[in-house]
Amino acid sequence: MHARNRVAIQTADFDVSAELAGLRANDHRVGAICMFVGTVRDRHQAGGDSSGIIQSMELEHYPGMTEKSIEAMIDAAQQRFNIFGARVIHRVGLLHPMDQIVLVAVTSAHRGESFQACEFLMDYLKTQAPFWKKEQTPTGSRWVDARVSDDEAMAKWGIQAPNA
């Protein structure tokens, strides 16, 4: 897959089957495809009161800067793991519970490299991609901070989160 097709930041939903077909098209080396699809949850991990209910989420980014950052993440994954291709789609704008928000997919000869590269890319996205998320709850809106667990996930790859 050509580099310019590896990353998409979009408001529209995505078709997982079409994306996977495009990623592996005519590449007879591919023996494994690993994919992660993230969706908007209806609850924030904090607590059981109504402040934890998510009615919607709005995502913002810096066009151009975000794509460049994710391209660098894919380059890093290709240097670490023996993968053939990668595709990252991240949605922005107003999203609701159960909406697809992110797709990370990688191809390789064997499953181990695909699993590792997919997890690496997702950990990288959670900690270093320039996205800003605001949740709307019954008690108002709030900006979402990175979680300590996200930083710890990135540390296992030997990469320190920018704010750590």
Side-chain angles (χ1 to χ4, degrees), residues 18-112:
E19 293 300 332
L20 292 183
L23 182 61
R24 66 181 264 191
N26 300 317
D27 190 344
H28 298 281
R29 304 170 301 165
V30 174
I33 302 169
C34 186
M35 169 192 71
F36 173 84
V37 176
T39 59
V40 178
R41 293 182 300 265
D42 67 349
R43 297 198 176 270
H44 190 271
Q45 288 191 346
D49 64 4
S50 64
S51 67
I53 297 170
I54 297 172
Q55 297 170 319
S56 64
M57 177 182 288
E58 191 163 358
L59 283 93
E60 298 178 5
H61 78 295
Y62 281 127
M65 176 190 193
T66 304
E67 293 87 345
K68 185 176 180 180
S69 174
I70 296 171
E71 286 287 352
M73 293 173 196
I74 293 172
D75 290 343
Q78 288 185 308
Q79 290 172 7
R80 285 177 175 252
F81 309 102
N82 188 19
I83 60 173
F84 301 137
R87 178 78 165 140
V88 175
I89 299 174
H90 207 298
R91 294 182 64 196
V92 293
L94 185 63
L95 299 169
H96 295 92
M98 297 182 64
D99 285 347
Q100 296 182 132
I101 190 171
V102 63
L103 167 74
V104 174
V106 296
T107 61
S108 67
H110 305 285
R111 70 181 181 268

